Amino acid sequence: MKQHRKQPARGGSAVWAVAITSMAGFITALDNLIVTTALPSIREDLGGGLEDLEWTVSAYTLTFAVLLMFGASLGDRFGRRRLFVIGLAIFTAASAAAALAPGMGELIAARAAQGVGAAIVTPLTLTLLSAAVPAERRGVAFGIWGAASGIAVATGPLIGGTLTEHLSWQWIFWVNVPLGLALIPLALLRLGESHGPNPSLDLAGTALVSGGLFGIVYALVRGNADGWTSTSVLAGFIAGTALLVGFVLYELRAKHPMLPMRLFRHRSFSAINAASLLMFLGMFGAIFLLSQYLQTVGGYSPMEAGVRMLPWTAMPMIAGPLAGALSDRIGGAPVVTVGMALNAVGLGLWALAVEPQVSYTSLLPALIVCGIGMGMFFAPSANLVMSTVRPEEEGIASGANNAIREVGGAIGVASLAAVFSAQGGYGSASLFVDGLVPALWVGAGAVALAAALSLLMRRQRQADGPAGGLAAGDALAGAPVAI
C-alpha cells in the first residue's frame, strides 16, 4: 500500500523550498495583471477588437480559477512535486507560445494554456512549502511566499508597462521562460515528494465545480459587454449556480470527495475563505481602475504610472515577513483583521483624494496604507487556511482558498467596473473621476466587510492549530479537525 507521508526535501534545506515556491508563486500571480498595460500595443500589432483584448485578459483568469481545485487534486493523487514540475512546464511553454503568437486567436489560446499551468502550480506551492518548513518557522516562510505573490499582483502593471515601453509586448511573456526553465530542475533536485491520502480522483466533483465556476466567472467577465440581463450572462449565472449547488450536494454524499464539506464546519476555515473572497474583490477591482486612473487622468505613461504605484507595491515586501513572524507570536487572525481594515481605510483615502487635478503627494497616504494592509493579509491568511485542516488535507484547502480568491478577483473587476460605467466613463477626466469614486467606496466596503468576517476566526497561536503543533506528516495526520 502506498504511503502518503511527506518526505523531507532533498538537500534538507527549507530555504530552497521557500525560494522555489515563492518564485513559482510570483510568476503565476504576475500574469494576472501584467498584460493590462500592454493591450494597446498588442492591438496595434495583432489587430482585433475590444472583445479580443478582453479575452486576452480573461482567458487566463477563467482557466486559472476553474482548474485550481483540480490541480490540487492531481497533486494529491500523482505526487505534488511531480505535478508541480508538470505545471511549471505547461506554464513555461505556454508563455513562449504567447510571445510567438502570430494573431489574437493564438494569443488567447496560449493565455488559456498559461492558466492551466498556473492552476496546477499555485495550490501546490503552499503544500510543498508546508511539508518542507518546520511548524515553528512556517509563519516567516509563508510571509516570504505571501510577499512574493503580493508584489507580483501589485507590480504586474509596472513590469508590463516597462517591458512594453522599452522592449516590446512579447517580453511580458518571454520573461517567464528563463525563470520556468530554472525552477524545473531545482524543484526536482530540492523538493521532497508527497501525496494526499486519497488515491482516487473525484472527476464528477471536479466537473461540477469547474463548470459552475466557469459559468459564474464568464458571466461576470461578459456582464458589462453583453448586458447584465442578456441571455448569455443570465444563463452563465443560473447554470453556474446550479452546478455549484450540485457540487455541494454531490460532495456531501461522495465516498472520496475532492472538497470535504465538513471543512466548512470549522468556523475559522469558513471565515478566512469568505474574507479572502471579499478582500480580492476590493483589491483587484481597485488596482484595475486605479492603474487606468494614473494614465487616463494623471497623464502618465504605463511605466510612469507603475513607478508611482511603488509605495503600494514596496510595502508588502517589508510588511509580509514581519506579519508572518508576528502571526507566530500572537496568532494570524488579529494580524489579518488589521491588514484588511487598513486596506479598507486605504481605499477610502483614495476615494477622498482623487480629483481631475490632484497632486501625487495627496495620493501617497492611500498608497502606503494599502501596501501595509496587503502585506499583513497575504502571509497570515495562508497560514490560517493551513492551520484549520489536517496536514494531508492541505492541498485541498489550498486549492479551495486560491480558487475562492481568483473568483473574488473576477467579481471585483466586473462589479467595480460596472459601478464605474454606471456613474462615469472615459469621456473626460471629470467623468472618469465621477465613476471611480463610487467604485472605490464599493471596494472599500467589501474589504471592510472582510475585516468584520475575520473577527469570527478563533484567535489561536499557530502551534495550537491542527496543522501547527507538529510538522507535516507527523502524528496529527489522522487526528480529527476541531469544530
Side-chain angles (χ1 to χ4, degrees), residues 278-280 282-284 286-287 290 312 316 335-351 365-378 440-441 443-448 450-451:
L278 290 167
M279 172 67 179
F280 269 62
M283 184 182 68
F284 259 77
I287 290 175
L290 290 172
W312 187 344
V335 179
V336 165
T337 301
V338 172
M340 289 188 289
L342 287 175
N343 268 279
V345 170
L347 293 179
L349 291 175
W350 267 98
L367 286 166
I368 295 171
V369 171
C370 282
I372 295 173
M374 190 162 65
M376 293 182 70
F377 167 80
F378 274 111
L440 288 175
W441 282 119
V447 180

Side-chain angles (χ1 to χ4, degrees), residues 328-418:
D328 283 342
R329 296 179 63 87
I330 67 173
V335 179
V336 165
T337 301
V338 172
M340 289 188 289
L342 287 175
N343 268 279
V345 170
L347 293 179
L349 291 175
W350 267 98
L352 293 172
V354 291
E355 296 176 359
Q357 301 292 331
V358 64
S359 66
Y360 174 68
T361 54
S362 299
L363 304 175
L364 274 176
L367 286 166
I368 295 171
V369 171
C370 282
I372 295 173
M374 190 162 65
M376 293 182 70
F377 167 80
F378 274 111
S381 66
N383 216 351
L384 282 168
V385 170
M386 294 304 195
S387 71
T388 60
V389 298
R390 301 169 181 168
E392 71 270 16
E393 292 173 334
E394 289 167 350
I396 297 171
S398 174
N401 183 253
N402 279 282
I404 288 169
R405 289 182 178 193
E406 286 297 314
V407 171
I411 294 172
V413 171
S415 58
L416 267 64

Side-chain angles (χ1 to χ4, degrees), residues 416-425 430-439 442:
L416 267 64
V419 174
F420 170 83
S421 298
Q423 302 295 323
S430 297
L431 196 60
F432 192 101
V433 171
D434 288 342
L436 177 61
V437 171
V442 171

Side-chain angles (χ1 to χ4, degrees), residues 193-271:
E193 185 60 281
S194 63
H195 296 77
N198 180 17
S200 301
L201 284 176
D202 183 3
L203 296 178
T206 298
L208 286 169
V209 72
S210 297
L213 289 175
F214 178 86
I216 290 177
V217 173
Y218 174 86
L220 289 167
V221 169
R222 297 300 307 162
N224 285 319
D226 296 347
W228 294 100
T229 59
S230 65
T231 301
S232 60
V233 171
L234 290 177
F237 279 126
I238 295 171
T241 301
L243 287 171
L244 289 180
V245 171
F247 168 73
V248 172
L249 295 176
Y250 176 82
E251 294 295 284
L252 286 170
R253 294 175 171 81
K255 184 177 180 181
H256 299 294
M258 178 175 63
L259 179 59
M261 290 295 114
R262 63 177 175 77
L263 295 181
F264 290 94
R265 297 203 306 267
H266 194 297
R267 188 176 68 191
S268 293
F269 184 83
S270 297

